[in-house]
């Protein structure tokens, strides 16, 4: 497996991106009213072509090695060349982890694509995260997609055999925590825990500028309770959940991260310095580069810089935005950035170590 230790200098000096979130498409076969990405669409983005394989090859070539590559969208499996895109990054950037979030609505296609990816990318951890925002009709209603719950479960069952066949495969669920499902979190969490193989389960706080902002009317206390329930369920299933070196550390970091999200929302200010734009980057489907998913000021577009992401990082615009982030002029609860910001902040290490040791002993504080 590709070792994360290769990235220690980058983690220490924070001088180059090692985590990329790549929005491969804006197309989606669902219409979730709390989707920040579809809501952020403007007419220009709607009409521009997605980067093609040749362009992606050049962007990837300019990036250097990656610790973590997260695909995003839109529904990523609507990009029919997702396996080919994965193989480009695998060959050139050797990511330790490649993450595939999906609404799971195309079971057969997802299974075929994941098999191709798992066959051709054996040294990266390949993680699929299926969306589950309610149980049965609640899920379908929230996402405006009749029948989607059953399709997502079908995808889960279709992918389960890969856990045995491919030792680098990880399969889990993610739930968007929003106003409409916050009262049902206990049952959603327990439902996922009761599924065959009791998969990993995470929750993401609803985020971004939404067409229907009332989805962000959340009760922080309910979020805290849901976080504790997830941690407690994890404790009961520690040995079956962790298949990889470093997975216990990630689980300990998850617990710490949910506490930081709670504190961020409670105090309405950032809890940690943010390294978005230095260590993390976002690339969208038409080539715009951003420091993170929340800020809408682009560093530039790779198409204007010979598909060289290093050149985009040196633009005047990039320097201005990086300076604003350094001065902590923004805050958010985005889990991906919380993760790197926690792992890069030595002040968090005592708590992290405490949670990690708790994992080893089967205890969670
Ligand atoms: S499935 Fe994902 S990308 Fe599609 S509308 Fe829902 S949240 Fe947005
Ligand atoms: S704090 Fe959040 S919004 Fe601000 S740069 Fe970091 S990730 Fe982006």
């Amino acid at each position: 497996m590709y070792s994360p230790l290769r990235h220690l200098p980058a983690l220490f000096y924070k001088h180059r991106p090692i985590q990329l979130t790549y929005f491969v498409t804006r197309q989606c076969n669902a219409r979730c009213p709390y989707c920040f990405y579809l809501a952020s669409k403007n007419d220009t983005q709607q009409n521009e072509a997605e980067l093609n394989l040749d362009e992606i090859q050049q962007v990837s070539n300019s990036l250097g090695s990656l610790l973590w590559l997260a695909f995003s969208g839109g529904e990523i499996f609507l990009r029919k060349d997702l396996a080919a895109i994965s193989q480009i990054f695998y060959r050139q950037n050797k990511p330790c982890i490649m993450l595939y979030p999906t609404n799971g609505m195309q079971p057969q296609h997802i299974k075929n694509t994941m098999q191709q990816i798992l066959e051709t990318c054996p040294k990266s951890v390949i993680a699929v995260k299926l969306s589950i925002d309610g149980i049965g009709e609640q899920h379908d209603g929230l996402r405006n997609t009749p029948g989607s719950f059953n399709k997502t479960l079908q995808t889960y069952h279709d992918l389960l055999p890969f856990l045995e066949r491919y030792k680098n495969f990880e399969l889990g669920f993610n739930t968007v925590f929003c106003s409409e499902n916050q009262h049902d979190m206990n049952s959603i969490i327990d439902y996922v825990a009761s599924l065959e193989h009791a998969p990993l389960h995470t929750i993401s706080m609803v985020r971004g500028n939404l067409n229907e902002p009332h989805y962000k009317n959340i009760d922080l206390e309910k979020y805290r309770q849901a976080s504790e329930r997830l941690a407690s369920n994890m404790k009961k299933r520690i040995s079956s959940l962790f298949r990889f070196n470093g997975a216990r550390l990630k689980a300990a970091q998850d617990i710490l991260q949910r506490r930081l999200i709670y504190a961020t929302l409670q105090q309405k200010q950032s809890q940690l310095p943010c390294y978005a734009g230095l260590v993390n980057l976002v690339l969208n489907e038409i080539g715009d580069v951003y420091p993170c998913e929340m800020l809408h000021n682009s560093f530039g577009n790779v198409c204007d810089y010979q598909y060289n992401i290093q050149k985009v990082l040196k633009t005047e615009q990039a320097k201005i935005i990086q300076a604003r982030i350094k001065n902590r002029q923004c805050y958010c609860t985005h889990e991906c950035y919380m993760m790197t910001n926690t792992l890069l902040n030595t002040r968090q290490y005592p708590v992290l170590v405490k949670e990690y040791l708790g994992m080893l002993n089967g205890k969670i504080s």
Side-chain angles (χ1 to χ4, degrees), residues 29-294:
N29 45 3
R31 283 290 172 270
C32 310
Y34 40 84
C35 177
F36 76 95
Y37 202 58
L38 297 193
S40 70
K41 177 169 69 178
N42 62 38
D43 289 345
T44 319
Q45 288 165 326
Q46 196 169 15
N47 296 330
E48 286 193 40
E50 293 169 350
L51 295 177
N52 62 36
L53 284 181
D54 181 47
E55 292 168 323
I56 294 167
Q57 172 99 29
Q58 294 178 63
V59 173
S60 147
N61 194 30
S62 73
L63 254 175
S65 65
L66 288 174
L67 172 66
W68 182 26
L69 172 63
F71 292 105
S72 193
E75 168 52 36
I76 62 171
F77 288 93
L78 288 180
R79 247 216 74 168
K80 297 300 177 206
D81 51 5
L82 186 63
I85 295 173
S86 303
Q87 286 150 15
I88 288 173
F89 283 102
Y90 179 75
R91 259 195 326 271
Q92 300 195 136
N93 310 100
K94 301 179 172 43
C96 301
I97 303 170
M98 293 203 274
L99 176 65
Y100 298 81
T102 171
N103 60 30
M105 285 172 61
Q106 310 167 84
Q108 189 61 47
H109 173 61
I110 293 172
K111 182 182 174 189
N112 294 344
T113 308
M114 286 319 301
Q115 182 155 17
Q116 285 179 50
I117 292 169
L118 284 159
E119 288 289 342
T120 51
C121 306
K123 291 186 178 174
S124 296
V125 172
I126 305 292
V128 170
K129 273 280 173 81
L130 295 159
S131 300
I132 183 166
D133 294 343
I135 302 171
E137 288 178 0
Q138 185 201 24
H139 174 89
D140 297 355
L142 268 170
R143 297 189 147 241
N144 288 331
T145 47
S148 66
F149 181 79
N150 286 339
K151 286 182 189 156
T152 303
L153 275 194
Q154 180 66 48
T155 302
Y156 177 66
H157 288 293
D158 287 354
L159 293 179
L160 267 182
F162 291 170
L163 286 172
E164 280 301 312
R165 205 178 307 162
Y166 303 101
K167 297 303 173 203
N168 60 330
F169 184 49
E170 191 175 277
L171 181 58
F173 283 88
N174 184 65
T175 300
V176 175
F177 186 97
C178 68
S179 61
E180 304 305 300
N181 65 4
Q182 59 183 336
H183 306 288
D184 305 304
M185 275 296 144
N186 286 353
S187 49
I188 299 170
I189 290 168
D190 291 349
Y191 177 81
V192 173
S194 73
L195 290 172
E196 184 185 349
H197 193 72
L200 280 168
H201 188 194
T202 49
I203 52 176
S204 303
M205 182 62 79
V206 62
R207 61 176 179 262
N209 296 321
L210 307 181
N211 288 333
E212 298 183 52
H214 69 85
Y215 283 94
K216 292 171 87 174
N217 293 338
I218 55 109
D219 178 344
L220 263 183
E221 189 52 30
K222 292 213 177 302
Y223 178 77
R224 192 186 61 73
Q225 286 166 6
S227 303
E228 283 180 1
R229 199 172 190 93
L230 273 184
S232 157
N233 278 0
M234 202 184 319
K235 172 184 156 188
K236 291 178 202 150
R237 298 174 292 126
I238 257 170
S239 53
S240 66
L241 279 175
F242 301 121
R243 289 160 55 87
F244 304 106
N245 292 336
R248 280 185 172 84
L249 178 62
K250 175 72 185 80
Q253 181 271 329
D254 268 350
I255 291 170
L256 174 57
Q257 171 179 291
R258 285 193 286 266
R259 282 186 206 140
L260 288 166
I261 289 173
Y262 178 83
T264 303
L265 289 172
Q266 199 179 41
Q267 297 166 25
K268 297 190 173 32
Q269 65 178 36
S270 70
Q271 304 295 306
L272 304 172
C274 183
Y275 300 106
L278 293 174
V279 173
N280 319 81
L281 279 186
V282 169
L283 174 70
N284 77 3
E285 68 283 352
I286 59 170
D288 290 322
V289 179
Y290 296 89
C292 68
E293 297 170 30
M294 316 305 292

